[in-house]
Amino acid sequence: MLASGSDDIPGRVLSDRSVVVLAVATWLGATVALPVPVWLGGVIAALAAGARRPVLLVVGVALLGSALADRSWAGTTPVKATMWSGTATLATDPEPVTGSVRVVAIVDGRRVEAWARGSPARALRPRLAGEKVELVGELAPPRPAMARRLAVRHIVGRLTVREVAGWHRAEQPWGAANALRRLLTDGAVSLPPTSRALLAGLVLGDDREQPAELANAFEGAGLTHLLAVSGQNVAFVLAVAGPGLQRLGLR
């Protein structure tokens, strides 16, 4: 097991110093990304842990990280330029970007960045992650200057959307989550735009509609994280603790 404290605790596999070395070795292995078999690193790491051999464990974990990184990079070969039509699954929520709508979509099992303007953008804008959309457009590899940055996110192409022919609900449990999201946002339509954006950020972690002044105010207070995922986590905790808190009264 791994433990904290001095380096001479009996029965421990790794010292504090070895834990740091293990982390560095994992990072180096993933950075180098050698095409070694995944099983080799796994076997070495398992044997080293059983035999309590820290040096061998570091080697095994480094090889395992390298093999997994190589496997991941192998899946980032850019797509070929072609006209494409079919059903795409949205991996993210569509977001407005300088007059366009951008969304990461899964096309034929691969992630691409889909861009739409005009009527296709208006059709894509209300959709949510997990939903399936019938798209027609031009598929192309990413621009050379953007390829590496996109490959880190496993995005291997760009789809210029020309037509949105229809859409289908997301499979469960994503469908239920989307239904709840729409229920909350529909219930907030009477709020002013800033309050509506604040509610979406705090409760849903949705920061797409936040005005600049709201984002700047939270950034100045060091609370930007509450407008995204942290705010959603706070909402989850309050929802669970709510029944108990109501019984406590003002105290």
Side-chain angles (χ1 to χ4, degrees):
M1 60 179 292
L2 302 180
S4 59
S6 63
D7 289 349
D8 57 357
I9 297 177
R12 190 171 55 171
V13 176
L14 295 178
S15 66
D16 293 341
R17 187 179 300 107
S18 297
V19 171
V20 175
V21 173
L22 182 66
V24 173
T26 304
W27 172 76
L28 287 175
T31 302
V32 175
L34 296 174
V36 296
V38 174
W39 63 264
L40 178 61
V43 169
I44 293 176
L47 293 177
R52 296 181 177 273
R53 298 296 179 86
V55 175
L56 191 59
L57 179 61
V58 168
V59 173
V61 170
L63 289 175
L64 182 60
S66 190
L68 292 174
D70 177 71
R71 176 182 290 184
S72 296
W73 281 115
T76 60
T77 304
V79 299
K80 296 181 179 180
T82 183
M83 288 296 299
W84 187 88
S85 63
T87 303
T89 302
L90 303 186
T92 64
D93 293 336
E95 57 179 336
V97 179
T98 61
S100 303
V101 166
R102 176 181 63 190
V103 61
V104 177
I106 301 175
V107 170
D108 296 334
R110 311 192 72 187
R111 292 165 64 95
V112 302
E113 203 171 55
W115 289 80
R117 288 180 177 272
S119 58
R122 289 190 292 272
L124 271 179
R125 184 66 186 85
R127 305 279 61 83
L128 296 175
E131 294 179 345
K132 300 179 184 298
V133 187
E134 303 290 339
L135 301 178
V136 178
E138 301 162 5
L139 194 61
R143 299 187 181 100
M146 304 288 290
R148 180 73 179 185
R149 180 183 67 82
L150 293 175
V152 172
R153 298 164 55 200
H154 290 264
I155 296 174
V156 295
R158 176 188 176 101
L159 178 65
T160 302
V161 180
R162 302 302 183 190
E163 180 184 351
V164 179
W167 68 281
H168 310 279
R169 298 183 183 276
E171 298 176 354
Q172 300 299 344
W174 297 277
N178 287 343
L180 179 59
R181 289 181 61 183
R182 287 196 169 96
L183 177 64
L184 292 173
T185 54
D186 291 346
V189 293
S190 60
L191 296 176
T194 299
S195 299
R196 191 164 59 245
L198 182 61
L199 175 67
L202 290 174
V203 178
L204 301 174
D206 188 347
D207 59 358
R208 293 176 296 168
E209 300 293 344
Q210 290 168 11
E213 59 271 18
L214 177 65
N216 292 337
F218 271 76
E219 183 178 2
L223 298 173
T224 302
H225 58 286
L226 291 178
L227 293 179
V229 178
S230 293
Q232 188 179 31
N233 292 339
V234 171
F236 289 156
V237 173
L238 291 177
V240 173
L245 293 175
Q246 290 176 356
R247 291 183 174 87
L248 294 178
L250 185 59
R251 289 179 299 173

